[in-house]
Amino acid sequence: MAPVAIFRMPGLSFPVLALMLSAIAARYPASGLQSIPDDIVFPPVRPARAAGSPLPVGHLKPLGWQKDSDGPIAEYTTDLHPLEFWEKHVKVSQPAVLRGHKRDEAAFKLWNDDYFRSEYADQHVRVELKQENRSFGAWRMTLPDFLDRYTKENIYAVTVLPEAMRHEVKVPTPLLCGTFRKYLQELNLWIGFTGTRSVVHYDADHNIHCLLAGRKDFIMIDRKYEYKLGFGRKPGYVGSGFSKMNPDKVDLIRFPGAVDVPWTHTTLLPGDCIYIPAGYIHQVRGFGRTISETLLFTPFQEEEFELGECTEKDLEYTTLKEVDIYWTYLGGDSDIEMGYMNPLLLGEMILSHMAEEGKTELTRKVFVRWFFSQSTSAHAQGDPYKTFDEYLDVNKNGTISRESLKSLPIASLKEIARSMDAAAVSRKLQPLAKGARAVKDEL
């Protein structure tokens, strides 16, 4: 491998970069660096426009060829304090890279295919097509079955991290104090092989995405340029969105505005993390065998961050097993649930609606009307009348008070979320979807 050629990073000379990559590979042989192609240039070097050509530079080329990058996003090589993280990034919706943040994590040191087979052979994962296509659904298979197939077939795993694996994953330091702790939503596990790439999209939740093996290149775009990138219409209550533009071959005749869209970039190597704000447009490509984690945390309704008591001890190494996360997957669960809203935020939304209506009690009629105004799909999972009767009408008198709603169990709020939300649920072991067996050289 010739790590010098892997990518261009301002501030690092090629010899320093080579030493850095070699050191990671030597210390952590499971990191997947050895499988990364050595001829990748990112950001791309754009050619000059051909004389007399009517087509703009970057037509039918991958995203990133249409305009030069504005540069790398902000980077940190030491732990970022939760308050600084809030002030400089979350509050102002600015991404950040945390270099080497996961290198002391057990998962970073242990996780590879052999370890997964020996320790987690009884776990299931949710599987999608390698090149993300949101017209296809997801399906489910055992982890060993997936490991037998993912290097040969057009699939990758994106799944809720099984409960059994949480003790090997550390919580990113910036999330260990204050308001952040209340809004930890779900932790996702990603496993893929060269050829994975996302659509151009943004997510409803904040997330910190950490790479444990392989390499990932990120293109980051401010949400205000959404209208130039072919994003489809969606109801206002849907927090995520994706572009109809093919990121492998950007059609500048169909999407001419793409040539004017400024973007920034980063490349993650094993141990690195990136904070992606809710609503921030991004597109990702994976190289080599990749393993990564994504911790989602919900945008909260408070305008200001409350740090509370935050001592040095609070910022020490903490595993996911030691914190509360709302959506998890136990080995025996019939469903792998992804993408449901934060139940605590759901309760706050209902209370906020009651305040707007000037109500001290929520009636069945008012809840049903609010349910249909907020449900994230025309195909909501549940009956709002039944949902109110079973989980909100605690005194069986057709109403619930603000006080009772504030003390509603999280389990009840999760059931309300399930009834409202058409989230990504993989329920059964299923064969591969049509087209999933495409060989890699066709991608």
Side-chain angles (χ1 to χ4, degrees):
M1 174 183 175
V4 167
I6 283 185
F7 68 95
R8 297 180 289 128
M9 183 184 290
L12 286 180
S13 67
F14 281 159
V16 172
L17 180 58
L19 288 172
M20 181 180 75
L21 297 178
S22 298
I24 295 173
R27 184 174 180 187
Y28 303 112
S31 68
L33 271 174
Q34 295 86 347
S35 64
I36 301 174
D38 63 3
D39 58 350
I40 304 164
V41 176
F42 182 78
V45 178
R46 297 173 66 240
R49 183 169 181 171
S53 173
L55 298 175
V57 174
H59 178 59
L60 298 184
K61 292 288 187 180
L63 186 67
W65 284 72
Q66 297 71 41
K67 182 179 174 63
D68 288 330
S69 170
D70 284 355
I73 65 177
E75 297 186 1
Y76 297 86
T77 56
T78 57
D79 285 346
L80 194 57
H81 190 277
L83 185 58
E84 185 180 8
F85 180 55
W86 164 257
E87 291 288 347
K88 291 185 177 179
H89 297 283
V90 180
K91 184 178 181 179
V92 293
S93 192
Q94 289 299 308
V97 170
L98 311 176
R99 292 282 175 207
H101 190 70
K102 287 280 188 165
R103 289 183 196 161
D104 62 343
E105 179 183 81
F108 177 76
K109 300 173 183 178
L110 296 172
W111 284 4
N112 58 41
D113 292 6
D114 291 339
Y115 185 78
F116 286 151
R117 292 178 195 279
S118 67
E119 299 298 320
Y120 301 116
D122 58 339
Q123 300 299 316
H124 292 179
V125 292
R126 178 181 172 277
V127 177
E128 294 184 3
L129 294 183
K130 185 185 294 185
Q131 293 193 334
E132 185 179 13
N133 182 334
R134 298 202 176 189
S135 65
F136 281 82
W139 59 102
R140 173 176 173 174
M141 62 176 64
T142 65
L143 182 53
D145 187 24
F146 168 78
L147 294 173
D148 287 341
R149 300 161 68 169
Y150 82 110
T151 61
K152 303 183 288 287
E153 301 177 14
N154 183 25
I155 59 173
Y156 76 109
V158 50
T159 189
V160 173
L161 182 80
E163 177 77 18
M165 302 170 76
R166 284 177 59 180
H167 68 288
E168 294 177 338
V169 176
K170 82 166 185 177
V171 181
T173 302
L175 301 182
L176 283 175
C177 284
T179 309
F180 294 132
R181 286 286 290 261
K182 291 199 307 179
Y183 290 91
L184 300 181
Q185 173 78 343
E186 74 181 39
L187 192 287
N188 297 331
L189 170 67
W190 306 66
I191 308 173
F193 196 67
T194 289
T196 59
R197 69 109 173 102
S198 76
V199 296
V200 181
H201 68 287
Y202 56 83
D203 301 305
D205 296 306
H206 301 299
N207 77 77
I208 294 182
H209 183 93
C210 298
L211 188 67
L212 306 185
R215 167 195 169 154
K216 288 190 176 182
D217 292 343
F218 287 75
I219 288 177
M220 309 295 293
I221 301 172
D222 192 285
R223 175 78 174 274
K224 65 185 178 183
Y225 298 105
E226 176 181 7
Y227 73 100
K228 290 178 176 284
L229 296 172
F231 277 76
R233 283 190 168 188
K234 63 183 182 64
Y237 50 75
V238 176
S240 60
F242 65 95
S243 169
K244 298 176 182 177
M245 185 172 63
N246 180 352
D248 294 329
K249 294 182 179 181
V250 175
D251 187 339
L252 293 177
I253 307 303
R254 185 179 178 191
F255 305 106
V259 300
D260 301 319
V261 174
W263 57 283
T264 53
H265 70 275
T266 195
T267 291
L268 296 191
L269 293 177
D272 295 339
C273 301
I274 181 173
Y275 161 61
I276 304 175
Y280 209 94
I281 297 171
H282 55 287
Q283 196 265 328
V284 189
R285 294 183 185 275
F287 303 94
R289 178 181 60 79
T290 58
I291 302 175
S292 50
E293 318 154 349
T294 302
L295 181 55
L296 279 63
F297 59 107
T298 309
F300 36 87
Q301 292 193 319
E302 295 97 326
E303 292 185 2
E304 289 300 323
F305 174 74
E306 294 182 8
L307 181 63
E309 291 187 15
C310 188
T311 66
E312 288 187 11
K313 185 173 179 57
D314 292 321
L315 298 177
E316 292 177 354
Y317 188 109
T318 303
T319 71
L320 280 175
K321 197 76 174 176
E322 302 171 73
V323 299
D324 293 327
I325 294 183
Y326 293 111
W327 299 100
T328 59
Y329 166 60
L330 297 173
D333 287 350
S334 59
D335 297 352
I336 299 178
E337 301 173 314
M338 288 182 67
Y340 285 119
M341 69 179 76
N342 187 306
L344 184 63
L345 181 62
L346 173 61
E348 292 174 358
M349 289 169 63
I350 298 174
L351 287 168
S352 177
H353 178 70
M354 291 173 66
E356 290 172 2
E357 296 270 318
K359 307 287 186 182
T360 57
E361 293 187 330
L362 182 70
T363 65
R364 194 172 188 250
K365 181 179 180 181
V366 170
F367 172 75
V368 169
R369 186 169 65 244
W370 177 82
F371 179 102
F372 284 122
S373 73
Q374 296 295 318
S375 180
T376 59
S377 172
H379 306 288
Q381 300 295 300
D383 178 341
Y385 298 97
K386 184 178 180 181
T387 297
F388 181 88
D389 293 344
E390 290 190 10
Y391 303 111
L392 289 168
D393 191 6
V394 291
N395 295 319
K396 304 305 175 187
N397 62 357
T399 65
I400 181 171
S401 67
R402 292 183 62 87
E403 291 70 26
S404 295
L405 185 57
K406 289 178 182 177
S407 61
L408 207 63
I410 289 294
S412 296
L413 290 169
K414 288 177 72 172
E415 290 298 337
I416 298 169
R418 289 185 179 104
S419 72
M420 292 182 65
D421 222 345
V425 180
S426 298
R427 292 191 170 90
K428 298 178 181 178
L429 291 172
Q430 297 176 3
L432 290 182
K434 183 178 179 181
R437 292 185 179 274
V439 295
K440 294 194 293 299
D441 60 7
E442 292 179 346
L443 299 178

